[in-house]
Amino acid sequence: EAKAAGRDTLRFFDPQMQAAVSERAALEADLRAGLDAGQLELFYQPKVDQGRITGAEALVRWRHPDRGFISPAEFIPLAEESGLILRVGEWVMRSACAQLAQWSAHPVLGELTVAVNVSPRQFHEGSFVPQVLEALAASGADARRLRLELTEGMLLQDVEDTIAKMVQLRGYGVGFSLDDFGTGYSSLAYLKRLPLHELKIDKSFVRDVLTDPNDAVIARTIVALGTSLGLRVVAEGVETEAQRAFLERNGCHAWQGYLLSPPLQAAAFEALVLKRAGV
Ligand code: C2E
Ligand code: MG
Ligand code: MG
Ligand code: MG
């Protein structure tokens, strides 16, 4: 009876929903093909610490043949659902490590850390730790310059497994950032147990930090919390000098944002770093 109703429901499927479903299916097929065709590219956004660029966050872009660049906000969730994220994630890890290794011989670029965003499904896969170690070994990159950006939600899924994986990678020197901090549900007791280097204040709090007293309190609280746990605190989405000054005044250690630069292709990123270093 319920089954029959289910079939009827399907038969009278909303055509608009039907269109959305086929659109997703088409995009997924395109992504699968795009991976093979080399359509993914890493962009790099500088992280600034005391006026110096000390690192890069790798942010993936998909150069779709007909649609131009597609934002990760659009295709990462799709890749998560379809499982393609495992291949995307592996490609990102290998590419970021290769870039790190390439920079390592340079007197200025060799000082940079590279941060890689990790998706929940990728992190919880049994092969995650070996995948990172393989990417490091294959490229010859220094594990101590690799940062992995995790989000709160994914860490709550299986606490013991999460901590075990982090501790294992920390043993090789890999560092961890908690991305989009403040948007999830971390408990303080739990935060203390995680082997983290860094908290990243989500850009949704930075945007109105000067005009919304709640956001100002949240930003200050994250800085205080991180600092008291011995962590670096990084603000993301800094677009104005006034936001930067507010955050610095309140003890935030580092920042990223359009105020200095959007994510850039590797060559443009390198040029920016060298220009700022006066090289
Ligand atoms: P995220 O890791 O929190 O990255 C920060 C996002 O803010 C990036 O968007 C960046 O381009 C953007 N952004 C940087 N500065 C500013 C600013 O001043 N103002 C504003 N409004 N935005 C700024 P993007 O590159 O579109 O990436 C969106 C999200 O997609 C990322 O958020 C991350 O969660 C995910 N993502 C990106 N690359 C990867 C990847 O290689 N793997 C995985 N699993 N996820 C990725
Ligand atoms: Mg990130
Ligand atoms: Mg973030
Ligand atoms: Mg974010």
Side-chain angles (χ1 to χ4, degrees):
E1 154 97 48
K3 243 183 176 170
R7 266 205 303 274
D8 283 346
T9 314
L10 268 182
R11 204 170 300 145
F12 297 106
F13 207 73
D14 174 353
Q16 232 172 329
M17 255 176 82
Q18 181 81 66
V21 168
S22 12
E23 148 102 20
R24 286 178 74 83
L27 204 59
E28 186 191 321
D30 283 0
L31 179 57
R32 207 175 284 279
L35 261 162
D36 294 328
Q39 290 166 6
L40 294 188
E41 190 173 338
L42 285 185
F43 277 46
Y44 296 90
Q45 185 178 41
K47 178 165 91 181
V48 184
D49 191 329
Q50 298 184 340
R52 287 178 49 233
I53 298 175
T54 56
E57 177 174 2
L59 293 154
V60 70
R61 301 288 181 259
W62 174 17
R63 198 194 288 270
H64 189 280
D66 324 312
R67 300 176 47 176
F69 277 116
I70 298 183
S71 153
E74 202 177 322
F75 74 87
I76 292 286
L78 179 81
E80 274 271 321
E81 267 176 52
S82 63
L84 267 180
I85 191 66
L86 301 176
R87 287 187 55 205
V88 172
E90 182 168 17
W91 181 88
V92 168
M93 197 65 69
R94 287 187 168 270
S95 306
C97 286
Q99 186 59 261
L100 191 55
Q102 198 193 309
W103 284 337
S104 68
H106 189 281
V108 175
L109 302 171
E111 297 293 314
L112 299 169
T113 58
V114 171
V116 172
N117 291 282
V118 176
S119 90
R121 193 152 167 186
Q122 181 188 6
F123 183 79
H124 288 297
E125 199 60 20
S127 57
F128 179 68
V129 171
Q131 179 192 101
V132 176
L133 297 179
E134 268 162 34
L136 285 165
S139 61
D142 181 351
R144 290 166 303 180
R145 301 208 167 273
L146 180 65
R147 295 275 180 276
L148 300 181
E149 298 199 358
L150 311 179
T151 49
E152 290 167 88
M154 65 196 272
L155 301 181
L156 295 169
Q157 271 180 38
D158 183 345
V159 178
E160 297 312 321
D161 173 64
T162 294
I163 293 177
K165 282 176 170 162
M166 292 176 76
V167 167
Q168 204 183 339
L169 287 168
R170 271 297 291 261
Y172 290 87
V174 175
F176 289 92
S177 303
L178 200 43
D179 203 354
D180 304 340
F181 189 71
T183 60
Y185 301 93
S186 307
S187 82
L188 299 188
Y190 170 60
L191 251 193
K192 205 178 69 179
R193 292 186 58 201
L194 296 174
L196 291 166
H197 270 99
E198 189 178 271
L199 295 182
K200 296 187 81 169
I201 305 175
D202 190 66
K203 60 178 180 290
S204 63
F205 304 120
V206 171
R207 191 182 54 223
D208 300 324
V209 78
L210 297 166
T211 50
D212 183 335
N214 292 322
D215 287 343
V217 166
I218 291 170
R220 280 205 208 94
T221 303
I222 294 174
V223 172
L225 173 66
T227 305
S228 70
L229 290 172
L231 306 175
R232 309 281 299 167
V233 181
V234 182
E236 64 175 27
V238 175
E239 297 186 357
T240 68
E241 173 54 28
Q243 290 167 342
R244 189 204 64 74
F246 174 92
L247 290 157
E248 187 185 71
R249 211 163 50 240
N250 284 283
C252 188
H253 302 104
W255 60 276
Q256 292 176 226
Y258 298 164
L259 175 61
L260 176 63
S261 170
L264 300 170
Q265 285 174 300
F269 173 81
E270 291 167 9
L272 176 67
V273 173
L274 298 182
K275 189 178 123 214
R276 289 202 34 124
V279 180

